Amino acid sequence: MDKDNRNFLLLFDIDGTLISGKGIPKQVFYEVVLNRFPYLSPDPGIDLSGQTDPAIVRQVLHSGGYELEINYELIGEILNDFTSLLNERFRGENSPVVLPGVQSLLETLRQTENCYLGLVTGNIKKGARIKLKSSGLMEYFPVGAFGDDSEIRNDLPPLAMRRAAAYYRQSFTPQNTWIIGDSIYDVRCAHANNLHCLAVASGRTAHRQLEAEKPDILVRSLEEIDGFFNRIRHHIS
């Protein structure tokens, strides 16, 4: 089969890649955690970029010495409270901001033959839906894998690929599947699954840090991309 006729699956991260939450998700998260654990540091300095939501809860509680209290039920309760409060806060001027170039890029990709979109995100599914709905991007992503599917981010791409294959009724190979994200963990989960990666330095991770992880393509903004799909397709031609 001609490589140009193969199906391409593009799996996007959300925070820092598609949208900016303007710091509100982090504020809401610590508000919820501190409500249950008032003696915890209000910001222990943990890098939240690219982590799954359950892993973030576990790390934050561990940093405060609450190892014995950590269990799946507690993590679920905290994340349920978090998403409920986030849904209330993401209104009006507090709605997340779509990052430059994203809307036009997604619209172009959606209309591109042999190109299919999905998600690989550390957000739990409910949180992902809140963020995408609040930013007007929900319609582009009918499938994906989420933080409540696995606490380990590297587990998510194969699941997203299977769900995309079932939803779109198409087959996708690792060679033609791309992870698109803004953190070192996006790049690492792509490498761990023998997938390609386009890293974008539009989030909290510096360009030089992303470069050190050796993504296939590295850009400073999705606004920079000229002929995005052709660039990806021809990268492996």
Side-chain angles (χ1 to χ4, degrees), residues 32 36 72-82:
V32 167
R36 287 176 175 261
Y72 287 113
E73 182 179 359
L74 174 62
I75 291 174
E77 290 174 356
I78 289 174
L79 291 177
N80 184 63
D81 291 347
F82 163 70

Side-chain angles (χ1 to χ4, degrees), residues 184 187-188 191 199 205-215 218:
I184 60 174
V187 184
R188 290 176 183 177
H191 290 336
T205 305
H207 186 278
R208 57 181 172 76
Q209 290 177 280
L210 291 171
E211 186 175 33
E213 298 292 327
K214 302 186 184 308
L218 174 59

Side-chain angles (χ1 to χ4, degrees), residues 46-93:
I46 295 173
D47 181 12
L48 308 184
S49 301
Q51 304 283 349
T52 63
D53 285 350
I56 290 171
V57 175
R58 189 178 298 278
Q59 289 182 56
V60 169
L61 294 184
H62 186 273
S63 72
Y66 292 104
E67 293 91 342
L68 296 179
E69 288 83 352
I70 301 173
N71 56 62
Y72 287 113
E73 182 179 359
L74 174 62
I75 291 174
E77 290 174 356
I78 289 174
L79 291 177
N80 184 63
D81 291 347
F82 163 70
T83 52
S84 296
L85 185 56
L86 184 65
N87 192 41
E88 294 177 11
R89 296 285 174 83
F90 265 168
R91 304 287 173 87
E93 63 181 18

